[in-house]
Amino acid sequence: MTGPLIEFRDVGKRFDRLTVLDRFCFTVQQGEKVSLIGPSGSGKSTVLRILMTLEPFQEGTLTLGGISYHQPHGRGPFKASERHLREVRRNVGMVFQSFNLFPHMTALRNIVEAPMAVLGLGREEAESRALELLRLVGLLDKKDHFPAQLSGGQQQRVAIARAMAMRPRVLLFDEPTSALDPELVGEVLGVIRMLAHEHDLTMLLVTHEMRFAREISDRVCFFDSGQIVEQGSPDRIFAEPAHPRTRAFLKSVLAESRTA
Amino acid sequence: MSLAQEILAMAKGAEMTAIVAIGSTLIGAVLAFAFGIARVEGGRLLSWLALIYIEFMRGTPLLVKLFWLYYALPLVGVSLDPFTTGIVGLSLNIGAYGAEVVRGGLQSVATAQREAARALNFPRRHTLLHILLPQAVVEMMPAFGNLAIQNLKDTALVSLISIADLTFRAQQIRNLTLAGARVYSMTLVGYFVMSLLVAALMRFLEIRARRGAAFAHSAHG
């Protein structure tokens, strides 16, 4: 496919009166690893949530893997059919800040459930896929544990395996380490780093881990007030930010991490 | 009438009470899930119909509903025997309260769980049956326990549409023996024992549900 895998064109998103995204444009190529950084409330998570079809938007067009959905100007919240949304979702997976594992299922069952129910895989195939992923995230020995028996870092690694089991073309990470105790952050970043080496997988990462964003991204986008104020290669953004707001943000974040 | 005969008659009444209570609780549970799910997951029309059912049943006295089914329904051409009337009336009544419990239980499952299910692209039906309900049922069990006991006690009203339940028998025996104190004391004890059994059963089911859901609240392993 030649065009971008993801394209936001003039997307407008409002919560009641509050405008979160206004004529928002953003494209991502297949296989790109993009980090979204910026102050909280700047719309980065909203971009991921719109991509995952968790949030409706009011204006513009979103194209994902060749499938578009859009809302003509001035009309109410878009109402794409459930069938259409499920079509869009086939390409996308998401890792949440608070893991959101199913508490009544073991780690293994958390991972096999969707491949069996949605992709129609047989149990044997789904389990071998799941076990392979559990091995990859280093939790093969925890396959029969329930989420409550796992640490936050372990839960997040299971959640990543769960998302990967659907073989998405795009994997979205919404602050995947923000809910973790500091000593557990590393193990989760390790797994994400490993996935970043997968050539075809497109990754969008909302994060406050600046060093990590710099390390794994092909491109870093700085968000402020629902706009991408500045974007570019991580080395350029972090070493010589052009926009004053980017500079101010990076300065405050880096100062914070020094005092922490 | 000897004491033994009295007790035998009361036991027969208690048996009928038990049958009516169990039957209406089970049917009521089916109604509770049907209407409770319709409230939360149904489209606008279904949700609205469920709301009407729930509010109507909660807003009208059970006794009047039983009388209506017993005396008024035959006038429009539908004649049910007393036993069926009692079961239908009680089920419709308790089903409405149960539907509110089901609604509350489903809504208590965190939005995050729905979003996770959506991100994995589950069909709505699968999300409901395999993600939401197993978690919600655990939350519903204590309230279901209360309703089951409430329903057991409500069955006493079916004596007024000539079902020979425990209350009905007690009145018969009192009319024969005029030993009101003894008869009604025995009746109270009868209901109390049955409600203890219901409470124990519901507690058992609650523990089972909790274990089945396996929210192992153990320390990090």
Side-chain angles (χ1 to χ4, degrees):
Chain A
M1 214 176 61
T2 47
L5 182 63
I6 299 167
E7 182 175 16
F8 283 75
R9 199 186 307 146
D10 293 326
V11 167
K13 164 70 186 167
R14 283 182 299 275
F15 292 108
D16 294 324
R17 283 272 164 90
L18 180 71
T19 300
V20 184
L21 298 176
D22 187 29
R23 301 188 73 83
F24 178 77
C25 295
F26 179 47
T27 55
V28 180
Q29 305 296 328
Q30 166 138 19
E32 244 192 315
K33 319 289 187 263
V34 183
S35 289
L36 314 184
I37 62 169
S40 49
S42 58
K44 358 180 250 305
S45 288
T46 305
V47 168
L48 297 198
R49 291 174 57 79
I50 287 177
L51 270 170
M52 194 64 258
T53 73
L54 299 177
E55 296 281 354
F57 55 95
Q58 284 81 29
E59 289 157 12
T61 312
L62 171 62
T63 309
L64 208 163
I67 308 168
S68 291
Y69 55 118
H70 59 91
Q71 173 65 35
H73 263 277
R75 303 287 295 271
F78 86 103
K79 289 214 168 46
S81 72
E82 176 70 11
R83 216 173 98 199
H84 189 80
L85 291 180
R86 294 197 63 213
E87 194 73 11
V88 176
R89 274 180 223 138
R90 278 211 332 223
N91 290 313
V92 199
M94 186 157 181
V95 174
F96 297 89
Q97 181 177 349
S98 48
F99 334 131
N100 303 2
L101 291 179
F102 305 125
H104 56 299
M105 298 179 183
T106 62
L108 182 66
R109 175 106 191 274
N110 260 283
I111 301 172
V112 300
E113 189 76 1
M116 288 175 66
V118 180
L119 306 180
L121 262 55
R123 176 169 298 278
E124 213 165 298
E125 195 182 350
E127 286 195 350
S128 77
R129 191 186 275 197
L131 292 172
E132 171 63 22
L133 284 162
L134 277 173
R135 195 186 56 75
L136 210 66
V137 301
L139 290 173
L140 200 50
D141 57 327
K142 303 286 188 205
K143 69 183 171 72
D144 296 320
H145 284 52
F146 286 91
Q149 298 167 307
L150 300 172
S151 73
Q154 291 169 335
Q155 287 188 54
Q156 191 62 301
R157 283 145 70 197
V158 173
I160 293 171
R162 180 176 71 170
M164 284 301 290
M166 296 297 283
R167 306 241 166 109
R169 297 171 72 184
V170 184
L171 193 51
L172 311 171
F173 293 90
D174 190 8
E175 304 200 26
T177 56
S178 297
L180 295 175
D181 293 335
E183 75 270 21
L184 301 177
V185 168
E187 62 189 64
V188 172
L189 293 184
V191 169
I192 300 175
R193 182 179 292 121
M194 190 171 61
L195 292 179
H197 293 308
E198 298 222 359
H199 185 70
D200 282 337
L201 182 67
T202 308
M203 281 175 33
L204 265 64
L205 172 71
V206 169
T207 187
H208 295 292
E209 299 282 338
M210 294 302 149
R211 277 232 311 268
F212 186 69
R214 181 170 190 169
E215 176 197 330
I216 67 146
S217 313
D218 301 316
R219 173 158 57 118
V220 174
C221 300
F222 173 68
F223 274 66
D224 196 20
S225 313
Q227 301 282 336
I228 297 177
V229 174
E230 184 174 359
Q231 56 180 318
S233 75
D235 284 339
R236 193 190 64 66
I237 295 284
F238 286 106
E240 35 193 290
H243 201 283
R245 275 190 283 176
T246 317
R247 280 201 291 272
F249 173 76
L250 288 175
K251 207 171 146 187
S252 73
V253 175
L254 295 177
E256 210 172 275
S257 63
R258 260 200 303 277
T259 54
Chain B
M1 197 177 199
S2 73
L3 186 63
Q5 283 172 317
E6 267 179 41
I7 291 175
L8 188 66
M10 300 274 281
K12 276 191 170 160
E15 186 189 8
M16 178 56 87
T17 292
I19 292 170
V20 170
I22 291 169
S24 59
T25 301
L26 291 179
I27 298 173
V30 173
L31 293 173
F33 277 98
F35 285 97
I37 289 169
R39 278 293 283 144
V40 183
E41 299 288 323
R44 194 176 298 177
L45 179 68
L46 272 182
S47 169
W48 192 70
L49 288 175
L51 179 68
I52 292 178
Y53 160 76
I54 292 166
E55 293 308 334
F56 181 75
M57 288 299 161
R58 292 200 307 172
T60 48
L62 176 58
L63 182 58
V64 179
K65 278 179 285 198
L66 289 171
F67 281 165
W68 190 88
L69 288 171
Y70 194 60
Y71 294 112
L73 201 55
L75 300 181
V76 292
V78 184
S79 232
L80 303 175
D81 60 84
F83 179 76
T84 310
T85 304
I87 298 268
V88 168
L90 284 165
S91 307
L92 285 172
N93 184 66
I94 205 68
Y97 290 95
E100 281 296 273
V101 172
V102 170
R103 179 183 67 81
L106 281 174
Q107 287 175 340
S108 79
V109 180
T111 315
Q113 290 287 308
R114 291 168 199 274
E115 291 189 343
R118 204 184 239 222
L120 290 166
N121 216 359
F122 286 120
R124 287 178 61 182
R125 194 186 148 84
H126 190 91
T127 301
L128 176 68
L129 292 179
H130 298 276
I131 309 295
L132 302 180
L133 276 176
Q135 299 184 56
V137 163
V138 180
E139 302 304 316
M140 296 173 194
M141 289 312 291
F144 277 154
N146 283 336
L147 289 183
I149 289 172
Q150 183 192 318
N151 193 47
L152 168 69
K153 293 179 297 179
D154 283 348
T155 59
L157 290 175
V158 301
S159 64
L160 297 170
I161 55 169
S162 76
I163 296 180
D165 74 334
L166 180 55
T167 304
F168 187 90
R169 296 282 183 183
Q171 267 167 308
Q172 271 188 330
I173 297 166
R174 196 208 69 99
N175 289 343
L176 285 172
T177 63
L178 299 179
R182 184 176 73 232
V183 170
Y184 284 121
S185 299
M186 277 164 48
T187 309
L188 278 182
V189 171
Y191 278 109
F192 181 56
V193 168
M194 281 192 277
S195 86
L196 282 181
L197 289 175
V198 172
L201 174 69
M202 294 308 285
R203 187 87 193 112
F204 170 75
L205 290 177
E206 186 184 333
I207 290 167
R208 278 289 300 273
R210 217 167 272 284
R211 193 172 303 151
F215 292 94
H217 289 294
S218 63
H220 293 166

